[in-house]
Amino acid sequence: MSAPTLEPQADWNQLYIDGEWREATGGETIPVENPAKQEVFTDVPAGTEADVDAAYEAAEAAQSDWAATPREERNEIVQNLLEELNANFEEIAGLLATEAGTPGYRAMGEFATATGDVEMALELEPPEEEVRPSSSIDDKDNHIVHEPVGVVGVISPWNFPLHLSLRALAPAIALGNTVVLKPATDTPITGGLLIATLCEAAGVPDGVVNVVTGRGSAIGDRIAGHPIPRVVSFTGSTPVGKGVAETAGKNLALPALELGGNAPFIVTDEADLERAARAGAFGTFFHQGQVCISINRHLVHEDLYDEYVDLLVDHAESLVIGDPSENEDVTFGPVQNETQRDDLVEFIEGSLEDGATLETGGEADGLFVEPTVLSDVTNDMPTACNEHFGPVAPVIPFSDDDEAIELANDTEYGLSAAVFCEDEERARSLADRVEAGMVHINDQPINEDHNAPFGGVKQSGLGRYHGEWITRELTEPKWISVQGEERDYFIFE
């Protein structure tokens, strides 16, 4: 069987295992919907545990030869993958709009980040071999080398499917590992089968990249708990991530987890108000708030509170709502699925019942949830204490810096945060006190930079992505000692 064409309505009903396109062993498929229309536009295979086994076995069989391939040759293939991405931007943007409800500007952003993932992978190098003298034995040298971990399992989410799959896959293969990728059920094409198509066109050897689509309830545990992978990379919710970590840990596979967030956005009394409100609106409404690092709570000094709320409402009401697959001027699309919509509506209604004031939005039509601003919010209301993962801006007042930090840290999560303050020393002091893996000063928290470690603390994950930090996750040190002069093994005469 041949690779599908890069069109939404193409025949996407084959898995990619060991360099071959094949049907799922059970013969069943899963419908894929356009979230804006809530209409099925294609089907993908419903992979089985047998398919997962075949994919991991293919990856294991290919790994030693791939690791032995000179880095220059591996880089040529990864460079080919980058060129395939760049050559197919229009088709990829169309797939993102259809499958993930992605407006054009966001498709460009995700595409740039995804190509950046591959560019970063080309630059990754494990630490050079190091030689250290023995601390206890004469004339012995210790050589420390770093080798690929082996096979890597990747479970990617639906919100940034192309980027968050390539963020793990590209560095893994560049460093000599092989991969089994399971994309989210809502975005199996842009998160998986599209990538398989591009890898095949780039000349990635058979078995180095394998893609198995399927429902998490059917194959998720087998992906995470298979005995072959040495690292399992998961991006998604904290409850599911804990299950992945537990399952992977039974085989002593390293869980690399980027999990949920509840990002605070602290606006002090010394903030540039208009600049802060514009950043706050972007950080809440970008991709309909479906970003793990989007603003979950706006913590605003009481002196600026009312004016900030008014500006936030103006920005929310200026968004152009519609179907990104039909209108390139759309800046605000649908949420991904009915579960997401229903949770958001429940959080909004619960906050209103608890005393919040609806400033704008609050309604849902199909999968379109209106950009919503809530004032008079407290930290324990549903839209604030939960990772609502949608276009909702709960605005909470504070009176001083200590209260702002207390509110910001009053959450189990610690992924990303932001502080707006014109006084750089004060802003840095606040940033140092926020319990998060990433804090941005005079910006909003939706940032990703391949020259900085990406990840969280507390219940927001384990490990870091990008640069030398992802290299540590995907390679492991090996100790080779070399004895010079003969040792005196004292137990022998």
Side-chain angles (χ1 to χ4, degrees):
M1 298 182 180
S2 59
T5 59
L6 300 186
E7 299 173 355
Q9 287 76 26
D11 184 0
W12 293 100
N13 62 357
Q14 298 163 358
L15 308 173
Y16 187 69
I17 299 174
D18 201 15
E20 295 181 352
W21 294 92
R22 59 177 78 173
E23 294 182 358
T25 54
E28 297 183 2
T29 59
I30 300 171
V32 185
E33 287 191 356
N34 176 329
K37 296 181 173 67
Q38 290 186 270
E39 296 176 355
V40 174
F41 66 90
T42 192
D43 297 276
V44 298
T48 66
E49 291 191 356
D51 296 318
V52 173
D53 292 345
Y56 272 129
E57 289 162 9
E60 184 178 44
Q63 197 274 321
S64 59
D65 285 346
W66 179 241
T69 300
R71 181 59 193 267
E72 294 78 10
E73 293 182 26
R74 293 205 305 266
N75 266 11
E76 287 180 10
I77 294 172
V78 176
Q79 179 67 39
N80 291 344
L81 174 58
L82 177 62
E83 292 172 2
E84 288 295 327
L85 276 165
N86 285 320
N88 290 283
F89 168 74
E90 295 294 337
E91 292 83 358
I92 293 170
L95 282 166
L96 286 167
T98 301
E99 185 179 50
T102 303
Y105 77 92
R106 199 195 72 69
M108 291 183 66
E110 178 166 2
F111 185 84
T113 310
T115 54
D117 294 327
V118 183
E119 291 169 348
M120 172 196 68
L122 289 165
E123 301 296 325
L124 295 182
E125 291 289 350
E128 292 185 1
E129 181 173 336
E130 183 180 357
V131 182
R132 300 181 181 183
S134 171
S135 62
S136 58
I137 300 174
D138 292 337
D139 201 25
K140 178 185 283 290
D141 286 332
N142 297 318
H143 296 247
I144 297 92
V145 298
H146 288 76
E147 298 182 340
V149 293
V151 178
V152 177
V154 179
I155 305 172
S156 62
W158 49 257
N159 59 330
F160 285 84
L162 179 68
H163 156 49
L164 294 177
S165 293
L166 285 173
R167 180 177 68 173
L169 183 149
I173 64 173
L175 291 167
N177 303 287
T178 55
V179 171
V180 174
L181 167 62
K182 186 233 172 283
T185 307
D186 284 321
T187 53
I189 300 170
T190 49
L193 297 175
L194 162 67
I195 294 170
T197 302
L198 298 175
C199 285
E200 183 182 42
V204 175
D206 296 351
V208 171
V209 171
N210 306 272
V211 177
V212 180
T213 58
R215 293 184 175 88
S217 58
I219 62 172
D221 284 349
R222 190 59 176 167
I223 289 282
H226 200 280
I228 286 178
R230 304 312 310 138
V231 171
V232 176
S233 170
F234 172 82
T235 304
S237 72
T238 294
V240 176
K242 287 181 176 180
V244 169
E246 181 180 8
T247 303
K250 292 176 181 177
N251 290 307
L252 299 183
L254 176 72
L257 309 174
E258 194 236 299
L259 306 179
N262 187 332
F265 182 70
I266 300 173
V267 180
T268 72
D269 56 338
E270 292 185 304
D272 180 325
L273 184 60
E274 291 192 3
R275 180 181 169 192
R278 186 173 180 83
F282 180 90
T284 287
F285 301 123
F286 178 79
H287 193 37
Q288 299 77 255
Q290 299 175 122
V291 192
C292 56
I293 51 177
S294 65
I295 298 171
N296 207 90
R297 295 167 294 149
H298 298 248
L299 309 180
V300 182
H301 193 277
E302 58 191 12
D303 290 349
L304 304 182
Y305 186 86
D306 291 340
E307 191 174 354
Y308 181 90
V309 170
D310 290 341
L311 289 170
L312 201 58
V313 168
D314 291 342
H315 289 308
E317 293 179 348
S318 72
L319 294 166
V320 180
I321 302 173
D323 181 353
S325 67
E326 293 185 345
N327 183 353
E328 63 182 15
D329 296 325
V330 164
T331 57
F332 188 91
V335 298
Q336 187 65 48
N337 53 53
E338 293 180 357
T339 299
Q340 186 67 15
R341 176 202 61 198
D342 293 346
D343 286 347
L344 282 165
V345 171
E346 182 179 345
F347 290 151
I348 293 169
E349 291 177 347
S351 296
L352 295 176
E353 290 171 2
D354 288 347
T357 299
L358 181 65
E359 299 287 348
T360 190
E363 299 294 328
D365 181 9
L367 295 184
F368 290 91
V369 178
E370 291 178 335
T372 300
V373 178
L374 301 174
S375 62
D376 303 316
V377 177
T378 59
N379 222 30
D380 58 354
M381 290 183 181
T383 51
C385 66
N386 295 290
E387 183 191 25
H388 55 248
F389 216 67
V392 182
V395 191
I396 302 170
F398 68 85
S399 59
D400 57 34
D401 288 1
D402 287 341
E403 184 182 11
I405 292 299
E406 182 179 357
L407 290 167
N409 292 340
D410 184 21
T411 173
E412 66 177 334
Y413 300 106
L415 188 56
S416 193
V419 175
F420 251 82
C421 181
E422 292 296 295
D423 182 331
E424 292 186 11
E425 184 176 346
R426 180 184 175 195
R428 176 57 190 267
S429 176
L430 286 166
D432 287 340
R433 296 171 65 190
V434 174
E435 296 170 353
M438 303 170 284
V439 184
H440 306 282
I441 295 173
N442 291 332
D443 195 2
Q444 47 72 48
I446 302 179
N447 282 277
E448 188 152 2
D449 192 316
H450 294 100
N451 290 322
F454 190 100
V457 299
K458 297 163 72 171
Q459 298 294 299
S460 288
L462 293 171
R464 295 293 185 271
Y465 290 90
H466 301 157
E468 62 262 39
W469 303 279
I470 189 64
T471 300
R472 293 173 192 154
E473 310 281 343
L474 297 173
T475 61
E476 53 191 359
K478 183 175 183 178
W479 171 30
I480 301 173
S481 75
V482 179
Q483 181 66 42
E485 293 183 3
E486 182 180 358
R487 286 182 59 180
D488 179 13
Y489 300 105
F490 57 87
I491 64 171
F492 303 109
E493 293 184 358

